[in-house]
Amino acid sequence: MKPYIDKISELIRPKGIRHEIHSFDSGAFMVDIWIKNDFYCIQLFENKFGISKVTEENGFCTIPDKTYTEWENFKTELEKVINE
């Protein structure tokens, strides 16, 4: 999943989006991103891509709001989020 972390960074870095990358011994990765006043958590695990918008109402959950098995489908969703 590490190559996808690099691809995510390539998408968000040029936009100056604040982000933090976390890796876990399990091989999973998490990317926290802040866009304006919104906080999103991207999860990469078991060849799946997940994205969640974290709010005070729903808080953080280990189960993503949306999960994708194909990079291109996930990338389309991520581009929607970062281009809002």
Side-chain angles (χ1 to χ4, degrees):
M1 297 306 279
K2 174 69 171 110
Y4 293 109
I5 292 296
D6 296 337
K7 291 180 180 188
I8 291 169
S9 292
E10 289 171 13
L11 289 171
I12 60 179
R13 223 177 245 134
K15 297 192 172 289
I17 294 172
R18 179 178 159 221
H19 64 286
E20 293 178 4
I21 300 170
H22 310 277
S23 61
F24 300 92
D25 292 339
S26 65
F29 288 88
M30 187 179 338
V31 182
D32 298 333
I33 60 175
W34 291 265
I35 301 172
K36 299 176 186 162
N37 293 324
D38 295 327
F39 171 57
Y40 294 87
C41 180
I42 298 170
Q43 298 161 293
L44 290 79
F45 57 98
E46 299 175 1
N47 298 320
K48 295 179 186 156
F49 309 93
I51 188 165
S52 300
K53 183 174 182 179
V54 181
T55 66
E56 288 185 23
E57 290 81 36
N58 66 5
F60 178 78
C61 180
T62 57
I63 301 170
D65 295 343
K66 297 178 184 178
T67 305
Y68 301 87
T69 57
E70 301 289 328
W71 164 253
E72 288 301 322
N73 294 336
F74 170 75
K75 180 183 171 198
T76 299
E77 179 65 24
L78 180 57
E79 288 174 332
K80 286 181 196 173
V81 168
I82 64 176
N83 290 315
E84 288 182 340

PDB file of all heavy atoms in Angstrom, residues 39-76:
ATOM      1  N   PHE A  39     -12.131  17.759   8.557  1.00  0.00           N
ATOM      2  CA  PHE A  39     -11.102  16.773   8.844  1.00  0.00           C
ATOM      3  C   PHE A  39     -11.518  15.442   8.226  1.00  0.00           C
ATOM      4  O   PHE A  39     -12.644  14.989   8.417  1.00  0.00           O
ATOM      5  CB  PHE A  39     -10.935  16.625  10.359  1.00  0.00           C
ATOM      6  CG  PHE A  39     -10.050  15.490  10.784  1.00  0.00           C
ATOM      7  CD1 PHE A  39      -8.747  15.390  10.342  1.00  0.00           C
ATOM      8  CD2 PHE A  39     -10.526  14.527  11.645  1.00  0.00           C
ATOM      9  CE1 PHE A  39      -7.926  14.352  10.745  1.00  0.00           C
ATOM     10  CE2 PHE A  39      -9.720  13.479  12.051  1.00  0.00           C
ATOM     11  CZ  PHE A  39      -8.425  13.390  11.607  1.00  0.00           C
ATOM     12  N   TYR A  40     -10.622  14.850   7.455  1.00  0.00           N
ATOM     13  CA  TYR A  40     -10.878  13.568   6.804  1.00  0.00           C
ATOM     14  C   TYR A  40      -9.812  12.568   7.206  1.00  0.00           C
ATOM     15  O   TYR A  40      -8.648  12.935   7.420  1.00  0.00           O
ATOM     16  CB  TYR A  40     -10.844  13.709   5.282  1.00  0.00           C
ATOM     17  CG  TYR A  40     -11.952  14.558   4.727  1.00  0.00           C
ATOM     18  CD1 TYR A  40     -11.806  15.937   4.619  1.00  0.00           C
ATOM     19  CD2 TYR A  40     -13.153  13.992   4.320  1.00  0.00           C
ATOM     20  CE1 TYR A  40     -12.819  16.726   4.116  1.00  0.00           C
ATOM     21  CE2 TYR A  40     -14.171  14.781   3.805  1.00  0.00           C
ATOM     22  CZ  TYR A  40     -13.993  16.139   3.715  1.00  0.00           C
ATOM     23  OH  TYR A  40     -15.006  16.918   3.210  1.00  0.00           O
ATOM     24  N   CYS A  41     -10.204  11.330   7.282  1.00  0.00           N
ATOM     25  CA  CYS A  41      -9.277  10.252   7.555  1.00  0.00           C
ATOM     26  C   CYS A  41      -9.320   9.275   6.380  1.00  0.00           C
ATOM     27  O   CYS A  41     -10.395   8.797   6.007  1.00  0.00           O
ATOM     28  CB  CYS A  41      -9.663   9.533   8.848  1.00  0.00           C
ATOM     29  SG  CYS A  41      -8.558   8.176   9.238  1.00  0.00           S
ATOM     30  N   ILE A  42      -8.155   9.024   5.802  1.00  0.00           N
ATOM     31  CA  ILE A  42      -8.027   8.062   4.708  1.00  0.00           C
ATOM     32  C   ILE A  42      -7.355   6.825   5.293  1.00  0.00           C
ATOM     33  O   ILE A  42      -6.345   6.936   5.989  1.00  0.00           O
ATOM     34  CB  ILE A  42      -7.170   8.632   3.569  1.00  0.00           C
ATOM     35  CG1 ILE A  42      -7.836   9.869   2.982  1.00  0.00           C
ATOM     36  CG2 ILE A  42      -6.911   7.583   2.508  1.00  0.00           C
ATOM     37  CD1 ILE A  42      -6.953  10.644   2.028  1.00  0.00           C
ATOM     38  N   GLN A  43      -7.945   5.668   5.031  1.00  0.00           N
ATOM     39  CA  GLN A  43      -7.398   4.421   5.541  1.00  0.00           C
ATOM     40  C   GLN A  43      -7.056   3.495   4.378  1.00  0.00           C
ATOM     41  O   GLN A  43      -7.867   3.311   3.469  1.00  0.00           O
ATOM     42  CB  GLN A  43      -8.419   3.753   6.462  1.00  0.00           C
ATOM     43  CG  GLN A  43      -8.740   4.609   7.685  1.00  0.00           C
ATOM     44  CD  GLN A  43     -10.039   4.196   8.346  1.00  0.00           C
ATOM     45  OE1 GLN A  43     -11.092   4.353   7.766  1.00  0.00           O
ATOM     46  NE2 GLN A  43      -9.929   3.670   9.554  1.00  0.00           N
ATOM     47  N   LEU A  44      -5.871   2.950   4.410  1.00  0.00           N
ATOM     48  CA  LEU A  44      -5.434   1.984   3.407  1.00  0.00           C
ATOM     49  C   LEU A  44      -5.116   0.690   4.147  1.00  0.00           C
ATOM     50  O   LEU A  44      -4.243   0.672   5.024  1.00  0.00           O
ATOM     51  CB  LEU A  44      -4.187   2.482   2.676  1.00  0.00           C
ATOM     52  CG  LEU A  44      -4.407   3.673   1.741  1.00  0.00           C
ATOM     53  CD1 LEU A  44      -4.483   4.965   2.495  1.00  0.00           C
ATOM     54  CD2 LEU A  44      -3.314   3.721   0.726  1.00  0.00           C
ATOM     55  N   PHE A  45      -5.836  -0.359   3.811  1.00  0.00           N
ATOM     56  CA  PHE A  45      -5.688  -1.620   4.532  1.00  0.00           C
ATOM     57  C   PHE A  45      -6.172  -2.771   3.661  1.00  0.00           C
ATOM     58  O   PHE A  45      -7.112  -2.615   2.885  1.00  0.00           O
ATOM     59  CB  PHE A  45      -6.491  -1.583   5.837  1.00  0.00           C
ATOM     60  CG  PHE A  45      -7.960  -1.301   5.627  1.00  0.00           C
ATOM     61  CD1 PHE A  45      -8.882  -2.335   5.604  1.00  0.00           C
ATOM     62  CD2 PHE A  45      -8.412  -0.016   5.419  1.00  0.00           C
ATOM     63  CE1 PHE A  45     -10.231  -2.072   5.390  1.00  0.00           C
ATOM     64  CE2 PHE A  45      -9.763   0.256   5.203  1.00  0.00           C
ATOM     65  CZ  PHE A  45     -10.671  -0.784   5.188  1.00  0.00           C
ATOM     66  N   GLU A  46      -5.510  -3.889   3.752  1.00  0.00           N
ATOM     67  CA  GLU A  46      -5.936  -5.109   3.056  1.00  0.00           C
ATOM     68  C   GLU A  46      -6.356  -4.856   1.610  1.00  0.00           C
ATOM     69  O   GLU A  46      -7.389  -5.339   1.161  1.00  0.00           O
ATOM     70  CB  GLU A  46      -7.081  -5.773   3.813  1.00  0.00           C
ATOM     71  CG  GLU A  46      -6.733  -6.196   5.211  1.00  0.00           C
ATOM     72  CD  GLU A  46      -7.930  -6.738   5.972  1.00  0.00           C
ATOM     73  OE1 GLU A  46      -9.038  -6.805   5.415  1.00  0.00           O
ATOM     74  OE2 GLU A  46      -7.744  -7.093   7.141  1.00  0.00           O
ATOM     75  N   ASN A  47      -5.570  -4.081   0.879  1.00  0.00           N
ATOM     76  CA  ASN A  47      -5.874  -3.745  -0.516  1.00  0.00           C
ATOM     77  C   ASN A  47      -7.203  -3.010  -0.679  1.00  0.00           C
ATOM     78  O   ASN A  47      -7.878  -3.133  -1.697  1.00  0.00           O
ATOM     79  CB  ASN A  47      -5.841  -4.993  -1.399  1.00  0.00           C
ATOM     80  CG  ASN A  47      -4.458  -5.608  -1.407  1.00  0.00           C
ATOM     81  OD1 ASN A  47      -3.462  -4.893  -1.443  1.00  0.00           O
ATOM     82  ND2 ASN A  47      -4.390  -6.913  -1.361  1.00  0.00           N
ATOM     83  N   LYS A  48      -7.582  -2.256   0.331  1.00  0.00           N
ATOM     84  CA  LYS A  48      -8.798  -1.436   0.294  1.00  0.00           C
ATOM     85  C   LYS A  48      -8.417  -0.005   0.637  1.00  0.00           C
ATOM     86  O   LYS A  48      -7.456   0.246   1.347  1.00  0.00           O
ATOM     87  CB  LYS A  48      -9.840  -1.951   1.289  1.00  0.00           C
ATOM     88  CG  LYS A  48     -10.353  -3.322   0.964  1.00  0.00           C
ATOM     89  CD  LYS A  48     -11.352  -3.776   1.995  1.00  0.00           C
ATOM     90  CE  LYS A  48     -11.733  -5.216   1.699  1.00  0.00           C
ATOM     91  NZ  LYS A  48     -12.222  -5.885   2.877  1.00  0.00           N
ATOM     92  N   PHE A  49      -9.226   0.904   0.120  1.00  0.00           N
ATOM     93  CA  PHE A  49      -9.043   2.332   0.360  1.00  0.00           C
ATOM     94  C   PHE A  49     -10.318   2.851   1.008  1.00  0.00           C
ATOM     95  O   PHE A  49     -11.405   2.645   0.483  1.00  0.00           O
ATOM     96  CB  PHE A  49      -8.821   3.072  -0.959  1.00  0.00           C
ATOM     97  CG  PHE A  49      -7.747   2.462  -1.818  1.00  0.00           C
ATOM     98  CD1 PHE A  49      -8.069   1.527  -2.788  1.00  0.00           C
ATOM     99  CD2 PHE A  49      -6.427   2.814  -1.643  1.00  0.00           C
ATOM    100  CE1 PHE A  49      -7.091   0.962  -3.588  1.00  0.00           C
ATOM    101  CE2 PHE A  49      -5.435   2.255  -2.440  1.00  0.00           C
ATOM    102  CZ  PHE A  49      -5.773   1.320  -3.410  1.00  0.00           C
ATOM    103  N   GLY A  50     -10.184   3.522   2.133  1.00  0.00           N
ATOM    104  CA  GLY A  50     -11.350   4.056   2.810  1.00  0.00           C
ATOM    105  C   GLY A  50     -11.188   5.539   3.067  1.00  0.00           C
ATOM    106  O   GLY A  50     -10.068   6.040   3.209  1.00  0.00           O
ATOM    107  N   ILE A  51     -12.317   6.221   3.135  1.00  0.00           N
ATOM    108  CA  ILE A  51     -12.289   7.648   3.455  1.00  0.00           C
ATOM    109  C   ILE A  51     -13.483   7.983   4.342  1.00  0.00           C
ATOM    110  O   ILE A  51     -14.584   7.475   4.132  1.00  0.00           O
ATOM    111  CB  ILE A  51     -12.269   8.533   2.181  1.00  0.00           C
ATOM    112  CG1 ILE A  51     -12.047   9.995   2.545  1.00  0.00           C
ATOM    113  CG2 ILE A  51     -13.507   8.313   1.344  1.00  0.00           C
ATOM    114  CD1 ILE A  51     -11.669  10.878   1.371  1.00  0.00           C
ATOM    115  N   SER A  52     -13.223   8.796   5.347  1.00  0.00           N
ATOM    116  CA  SER A  52     -14.268   9.216   6.275  1.00  0.00           C
ATOM    117  C   SER A  52     -14.113  10.693   6.562  1.00  0.00           C
ATOM    118  O   SER A  52     -12.995  11.194   6.694  1.00  0.00           O
ATOM    119  CB  SER A  52     -14.147   8.471   7.614  1.00  0.00           C
ATOM    120  OG  SER A  52     -14.267   7.089   7.445  1.00  0.00           O
ATOM    121  N   LYS A  53     -15.235  11.365   6.683  1.00  0.00           N
ATOM    122  CA  LYS A  53     -15.235  12.739   7.185  1.00  0.00           C
ATOM    123  C   LYS A  53     -15.524  12.634   8.678  1.00  0.00           C
ATOM    124  O   LYS A  53     -16.529  12.056   9.087  1.00  0.00           O
ATOM    125  CB  LYS A  53     -16.303  13.581   6.489  1.00  0.00           C
ATOM    126  CG  LYS A  53     -16.282  15.024   6.936  1.00  0.00           C
ATOM    127  CD  LYS A  53     -17.256  15.859   6.120  1.00  0.00           C
ATOM    128  CE  LYS A  53     -17.204  17.310   6.524  1.00  0.00           C
ATOM    129  NZ  LYS A  53     -18.135  18.126   5.713  1.00  0.00           N
ATOM    130  N   VAL A  54     -14.623  13.167   9.473  1.00  0.00           N
ATOM    131  CA  VAL A  54     -14.750  13.065  10.918  1.00  0.00           C
ATOM    132  C   VAL A  54     -15.357  14.365  11.439  1.00  0.00           C
ATOM    133  O   VAL A  54     -14.851  15.450  11.156  1.00  0.00           O
ATOM    134  CB  VAL A  54     -13.373  12.807  11.572  1.00  0.00           C
ATOM    135  CG1 VAL A  54     -13.507  12.679  13.077  1.00  0.00           C
ATOM    136  CG2 VAL A  54     -12.725  11.562  10.971  1.00  0.00           C
ATOM    137  N   THR A  55     -16.457  14.226  12.156  1.00  0.00           N
ATOM    138  CA  THR A  55     -17.133  15.381  12.746  1.00  0.00           C
ATOM    139  C   THR A  55     -17.377  15.110  14.223  1.00  0.00           C
ATOM    140  O   THR A  55     -17.198  13.984  14.697  1.00  0.00           O
ATOM    141  CB  THR A  55     -18.480  15.660  12.060  1.00  0.00           C
ATOM    142  OG1 THR A  55     -19.362  14.570  12.326  1.00  0.00           O
ATOM    143  CG2 THR A  55     -18.321  15.829  10.548  1.00  0.00           C
ATOM    144  N   GLU A  56     -17.830  16.121  14.932  1.00  0.00           N
ATOM    145  CA  GLU A  56     -18.171  15.922  16.344  1.00  0.00           C
ATOM    146  C   GLU A  56     -19.340  14.961  16.495  1.00  0.00           C
ATOM    147  O   GLU A  56     -19.427  14.237  17.468  1.00  0.00           O
ATOM    148  CB  GLU A  56     -18.500  17.260  17.000  1.00  0.00           C
ATOM    149  CG  GLU A  56     -17.271  18.124  17.207  1.00  0.00           C
ATOM    150  CD  GLU A  56     -17.571  19.395  17.960  1.00  0.00           C
ATOM    151  OE1 GLU A  56     -18.583  19.445  18.684  1.00  0.00           O
ATOM    152  OE2 GLU A  56     -16.784  20.348  17.819  1.00  0.00           O
ATOM    153  N   GLU A  57     -20.231  14.947  15.509  1.00  0.00           N
ATOM    154  CA  GLU A  57     -21.403  14.079  15.594  1.00  0.00           C
ATOM    155  C   GLU A  57     -21.050  12.604  15.395  1.00  0.00           C
ATOM    156  O   GLU A  57     -21.553  11.740  16.090  1.00  0.00           O
ATOM    157  CB  GLU A  57     -22.464  14.471  14.547  1.00  0.00           C
ATOM    158  CG  GLU A  57     -23.147  15.788  14.825  1.00  0.00           C
ATOM    159  CD  GLU A  57     -22.310  16.983  14.365  1.00  0.00           C
ATOM    160  OE1 GLU A  57     -21.627  16.874  13.323  1.00  0.00           O
ATOM    161  OE2 GLU A  57     -22.317  18.004  15.066  1.00  0.00           O
ATOM    162  N   ASN A  58     -20.184  12.322  14.405  1.00  0.00           N
ATOM    163  CA  ASN A  58     -19.895  10.917  14.131  1.00  0.00           C
ATOM    164  C   ASN A  58     -18.567  10.453  14.710  1.00  0.00           C
ATOM    165  O   ASN A  58     -18.336   9.268  14.829  1.00  0.00           O
ATOM    166  CB  ASN A  58     -19.960  10.615  12.621  1.00  0.00           C
ATOM    167  CG  ASN A  58     -18.886  11.298  11.816  1.00  0.00           C
ATOM    168  OD1 ASN A  58     -18.009  11.943  12.348  1.00  0.00           O
ATOM    169  ND2 ASN A  58     -18.955  11.154  10.521  1.00  0.00           N
ATOM    170  N   GLY A  59     -17.686  11.372  15.070  1.00  0.00           N
ATOM    171  CA  GLY A  59     -16.403  10.999  15.655  1.00  0.00           C
ATOM    172  C   GLY A  59     -15.574  10.125  14.736  1.00  0.00           C
ATOM    173  O   GLY A  59     -15.879   9.945  13.562  1.00  0.00           O
ATOM    174  N   PHE A  60     -14.518   9.559  15.289  1.00  0.00           N
ATOM    175  CA  PHE A  60     -13.643   8.697  14.504  1.00  0.00           C
ATOM    176  C   PHE A  60     -14.060   7.251  14.702  1.00  0.00           C
ATOM    177  O   PHE A  60     -14.344   6.816  15.805  1.00  0.00           O
ATOM    178  CB  PHE A  60     -12.186   8.869  14.918  1.00  0.00           C
ATOM    179  CG  PHE A  60     -11.265   7.959  14.166  1.00  0.00           C
ATOM    180  CD1 PHE A  60     -10.890   8.259  12.872  1.00  0.00           C
ATOM    181  CD2 PHE A  60     -10.812   6.786  14.734  1.00  0.00           C
ATOM    182  CE1 PHE A  60     -10.065   7.417  12.158  1.00  0.00           C
ATOM    183  CE2 PHE A  60      -9.985   5.948  14.038  1.00  0.00           C
ATOM    184  CZ  PHE A  60      -9.608   6.256  12.744  1.00  0.00           C
ATOM    185  N   CYS A  61     -14.071   6.514  13.602  1.00  0.00           N
ATOM    186  CA  CYS A  61     -14.426   5.096  13.637  1.00  0.00           C
ATOM    187  C   CYS A  61     -13.414   4.340  12.788  1.00  0.00           C
ATOM    188  O   CYS A  61     -12.917   4.857  11.793  1.00  0.00           O
ATOM    189  CB  CYS A  61     -15.842   4.906  13.082  1.00  0.00           C
ATOM    190  SG  CYS A  61     -16.373   3.192  13.073  1.00  0.00           S
ATOM    191  N   THR A  62     -13.125   3.112  13.158  1.00  0.00           N
ATOM    192  CA  THR A  62     -12.185   2.321  12.372  1.00  0.00           C
ATOM    193  C   THR A  62     -12.807   1.828  11.072  1.00  0.00           C
ATOM    194  O   THR A  62     -12.101   1.373  10.188  1.00  0.00           O
ATOM    195  CB  THR A  62     -11.677   1.110  13.176  1.00  0.00           C
ATOM    196  OG1 THR A  62     -12.791   0.324  13.586  1.00  0.00           O
ATOM    197  CG2 THR A  62     -10.868   1.566  14.384  1.00  0.00           C
ATOM    198  N   ILE A  63     -14.115   1.941  10.942  1.00  0.00           N
ATOM    199  CA  ILE A  63     -14.798   1.557   9.705  1.00  0.00           C
ATOM    200  C   ILE A  63     -15.031   2.822   8.880  1.00  0.00           C
ATOM    201  O   ILE A  63     -15.719   3.734   9.325  1.00  0.00           O
ATOM    202  CB  ILE A  63     -16.135   0.851  10.001  1.00  0.00           C
ATOM    203  CG1 ILE A  63     -15.877  -0.397  10.836  1.00  0.00           C
ATOM    204  CG2 ILE A  63     -16.859   0.520   8.703  1.00  0.00           C
ATOM    205  CD1 ILE A  63     -17.133  -1.040  11.385  1.00  0.00           C
ATOM    206  N   PRO A  64     -14.440   2.903   7.681  1.00  0.00           N
ATOM    207  CA  PRO A  64     -14.586   4.111   6.859  1.00  0.00           C
ATOM    208  C   PRO A  64     -16.022   4.338   6.399  1.00  0.00           C
ATOM    209  O   PRO A  64     -16.802   3.392   6.267  1.00  0.00           O
ATOM    210  CB  PRO A  64     -13.691   3.831   5.646  1.00  0.00           C
ATOM    211  CG  PRO A  64     -12.864   2.643   5.987  1.00  0.00           C
ATOM    212  CD  PRO A  64     -13.582   1.906   7.052  1.00  0.00           C
ATOM    213  N   ASP A  65     -16.352   5.614   6.141  1.00  0.00           N
ATOM    214  CA  ASP A  65     -17.672   5.959   5.583  1.00  0.00           C
ATOM    215  C   ASP A  65     -17.849   5.324   4.212  1.00  0.00           C
ATOM    216  O   ASP A  65     -18.924   4.842   3.872  1.00  0.00           O
ATOM    217  CB  ASP A  65     -17.825   7.473   5.437  1.00  0.00           C
ATOM    218  CG  ASP A  65     -17.808   8.201   6.770  1.00  0.00           C
ATOM    219  OD1 ASP A  65     -17.999   7.560   7.815  1.00  0.00           O
ATOM    220  OD2 ASP A  65     -17.590   9.429   6.746  1.00  0.00           O
ATOM    221  N   LYS A  66     -16.778   5.360   3.414  1.00  0.00           N
ATOM    222  CA  LYS A  66     -16.804   4.800   2.055  1.00  0.00           C
ATOM    223  C   LYS A  66     -15.549   3.957   1.872  1.00  0.00           C
ATOM    224  O   LYS A  66     -14.465   4.367   2.272  1.00  0.00           O
ATOM    225  CB  LYS A  66     -16.827   5.912   0.999  1.00  0.00           C
ATOM    226  CG  LYS A  66     -18.060   6.778   1.048  1.00  0.00           C
ATOM    227  CD  LYS A  66     -17.983   7.868   0.005  1.00  0.00           C
ATOM    228  CE  LYS A  66     -19.177   8.796   0.112  1.00  0.00           C
ATOM    229  NZ  LYS A  66     -19.099   9.895  -0.855  1.00  0.00           N
ATOM    230  N   THR A  67     -15.718   2.792   1.244  1.00  0.00           N
ATOM    231  CA  THR A  67     -14.595   1.898   0.988  1.00  0.00           C
ATOM    232  C   THR A  67     -14.548   1.543  -0.487  1.00  0.00           C
ATOM    233  O   THR A  67     -15.587   1.313  -1.104  1.00  0.00           O
ATOM    234  CB  THR A  67     -14.733   0.605   1.820  1.00  0.00           C
ATOM    235  OG1 THR A  67     -14.862   0.943   3.198  1.00  0.00           O
ATOM    236  CG2 THR A  67     -13.523  -0.291   1.651  1.00  0.00           C
ATOM    237  N   TYR A  68     -13.338   1.484  -1.020  1.00  0.00           N
ATOM    238  CA  TYR A  68     -13.127   1.177  -2.439  1.00  0.00           C
ATOM    239  C   TYR A  68     -12.079   0.074  -2.560  1.00  0.00           C
ATOM    240  O   TYR A  68     -11.138   0.018  -1.772  1.00  0.00           O
ATOM    241  CB  TYR A  68     -12.634   2.422  -3.190  1.00  0.00           C
ATOM    242  CG  TYR A  68     -13.596   3.573  -3.092  1.00  0.00           C
ATOM    243  CD1 TYR A  68     -13.533   4.460  -2.024  1.00  0.00           C
ATOM    244  CD2 TYR A  68     -14.579   3.766  -4.051  1.00  0.00           C
ATOM    245  CE1 TYR A  68     -14.427   5.517  -1.919  1.00  0.00           C
ATOM    246  CE2 TYR A  68     -15.473   4.813  -3.956  1.00  0.00           C
ATOM    247  CZ  TYR A  68     -15.393   5.683  -2.887  1.00  0.00           C
ATOM    248  OH  TYR A  68     -16.278   6.727  -2.780  1.00  0.00           O
ATOM    249  N   THR A  69     -12.250  -0.774  -3.553  1.00  0.00           N
ATOM    250  CA  THR A  69     -11.254  -1.811  -3.822  1.00  0.00           C
ATOM    251  C   THR A  69     -10.409  -1.471  -5.033  1.00  0.00           C
ATOM    252  O   THR A  69      -9.392  -2.114  -5.264  1.00  0.00           O
ATOM    253  CB  THR A  69     -11.934  -3.180  -4.037  1.00  0.00           C
ATOM    254  OG1 THR A  69     -12.879  -3.065  -5.098  1.00  0.00           O
ATOM    255  CG2 THR A  69     -12.632  -3.653  -2.766  1.00  0.00           C
ATOM    256  N   GLU A  70     -10.820  -0.473  -5.780  1.00  0.00           N
ATOM    257  CA  GLU A  70     -10.084  -0.044  -6.973  1.00  0.00           C
ATOM    258  C   GLU A  70      -9.503   1.346  -6.736  1.00  0.00           C
ATOM    259  O   GLU A  70     -10.215   2.267  -6.323  1.00  0.00           O
ATOM    260  CB  GLU A  70     -11.000   0.014  -8.198  1.00  0.00           C
ATOM    261  CG  GLU A  70     -11.662  -1.301  -8.546  1.00  0.00           C
ATOM    262  CD  GLU A  70     -10.682  -2.310  -9.097  1.00  0.00           C
ATOM    263  OE1 GLU A  70      -9.707  -1.883  -9.756  1.00  0.00           O
ATOM    264  OE2 GLU A  70     -10.877  -3.514  -8.863  1.00  0.00           O
ATOM    265  N   TRP A  71      -8.203   1.509  -7.016  1.00  0.00           N
ATOM    266  CA  TRP A  71      -7.538   2.792  -6.831  1.00  0.00           C
ATOM    267  C   TRP A  71      -8.230   3.912  -7.587  1.00  0.00           C
ATOM    268  O   TRP A  71      -8.447   4.999  -7.042  1.00  0.00           O
ATOM    269  CB  TRP A  71      -6.072   2.696  -7.233  1.00  0.00           C
ATOM    270  CG  TRP A  71      -5.441   4.051  -7.424  1.00  0.00           C
ATOM    271  CD1 TRP A  71      -5.097   4.624  -8.596  1.00  0.00           C
ATOM    272  CD2 TRP A  71      -5.132   5.007  -6.408  1.00  0.00           C
ATOM    273  NE1 TRP A  71      -4.567   5.880  -8.383  1.00  0.00           N
ATOM    274  CE2 TRP A  71      -4.584   6.147  -7.044  1.00  0.00           C
ATOM    275  CE3 TRP A  71      -5.259   5.028  -5.023  1.00  0.00           C
ATOM    276  CZ2 TRP A  71      -4.166   7.267  -6.345  1.00  0.00           C
ATOM    277  CZ3 TRP A  71      -4.846   6.162  -4.323  1.00  0.00           C
ATOM    278  CH2 TRP A  71      -4.307   7.257  -4.977  1.00  0.00           C
ATOM    279  N   GLU A  72      -8.573   3.689  -8.846  1.00  0.00           N
ATOM    280  CA  GLU A  72      -9.152   4.764  -9.675  1.00  0.00           C
ATOM    281  C   GLU A  72     -10.464   5.272  -9.091  1.00  0.00           C
ATOM    282  O   GLU A  72     -10.735   6.472  -9.116  1.00  0.00           O
ATOM    283  CB  GLU A  72      -9.329   4.306 -11.120  1.00  0.00           C
ATOM    284  CG  GLU A  72      -8.017   4.179 -11.876  1.00  0.00           C
ATOM    285  CD  GLU A  72      -7.216   5.479 -11.947  1.00  0.00           C
ATOM    286  OE1 GLU A  72      -7.813   6.569 -12.101  1.00  0.00           O
ATOM    287  OE2 GLU A  72      -5.977   5.402 -11.869  1.00  0.00           O
ATOM    288  N   ASN A  73     -11.301   4.370  -8.577  1.00  0.00           N
ATOM    289  CA  ASN A  73     -12.562   4.794  -7.960  1.00  0.00           C
ATOM    290  C   ASN A  73     -12.303   5.605  -6.695  1.00  0.00           C
ATOM    291  O   ASN A  73     -12.946   6.632  -6.451  1.00  0.00           O
ATOM    292  CB  ASN A  73     -13.433   3.586  -7.641  1.00  0.00           C
ATOM    293  CG  ASN A  73     -13.898   2.861  -8.881  1.00  0.00           C
ATOM    294  OD1 ASN A  73     -13.961   3.437  -9.966  1.00  0.00           O
ATOM    295  ND2 ASN A  73     -14.199   1.590  -8.751  1.00  0.00           N
ATOM    296  N   PHE A  74     -11.355   5.151  -5.887  1.00  0.00           N
ATOM    297  CA  PHE A  74     -10.996   5.900  -4.684  1.00  0.00           C
ATOM    298  C   PHE A  74     -10.407   7.259  -5.044  1.00  0.00           C
ATOM    299  O   PHE A  74     -10.756   8.277  -4.453  1.00  0.00           O
ATOM    300  CB  PHE A  74     -10.003   5.109  -3.830  1.00  0.00           C
ATOM    301  CG  PHE A  74      -9.424   5.925  -2.726  1.00  0.00           C
ATOM    302  CD1 PHE A  74     -10.175   6.220  -1.604  1.00  0.00           C
ATOM    303  CD2 PHE A  74      -8.146   6.442  -2.822  1.00  0.00           C
ATOM    304  CE1 PHE A  74      -9.660   7.005  -0.592  1.00  0.00           C
ATOM    305  CE2 PHE A  74      -7.615   7.224  -1.811  1.00  0.00           C
ATOM    306  CZ  PHE A  74      -8.369   7.507  -0.692  1.00  0.00           C
ATOM    307  N   LYS A  75      -9.523   7.271  -6.030  1.00  0.00           N
ATOM    308  CA  LYS A  75      -8.878   8.520  -6.452  1.00  0.00           C
ATOM    309  C   LYS A  75      -9.926   9.547  -6.889  1.00  0.00           C
ATOM    310  O   LYS A  75      -9.819  10.727  -6.556  1.00  0.00           O
ATOM    311  CB  LYS A  75      -7.905   8.242  -7.590  1.00  0.00           C
ATOM    312  CG  LYS A  75      -7.187   9.468  -8.094  1.00  0.00           C
ATOM    313  CD  LYS A  75      -6.287   9.126  -9.262  1.00  0.00           C
ATOM    314  CE  LYS A  75      -5.749  10.373  -9.898  1.00  0.00           C
ATOM    315  NZ  LYS A  75      -5.225  10.165 -11.226  1.00  0.00           N
ATOM    316  N   THR A  76     -10.936   9.104  -7.608  1.00  0.00           N
ATOM    317  CA  THR A  76     -12.017  10.004  -8.035  1.00  0.00           C
ATOM    318  C   THR A  76     -12.703  10.625  -6.831  1.00  0.00           C
ATOM    319  O   THR A  76     -12.956  11.835  -6.793  1.00  0.00           O
ATOM    320  CB  THR A  76     -13.036   9.238  -8.908  1.00  0.00           C
ATOM    321  OG1 THR A  76     -12.360   8.753 -10.073  1.00  0.00           O
ATOM    322  CG2 THR A  76     -14.203  10.119  -9.312  1.00  0.00           C
TER     323      THR A  76
END
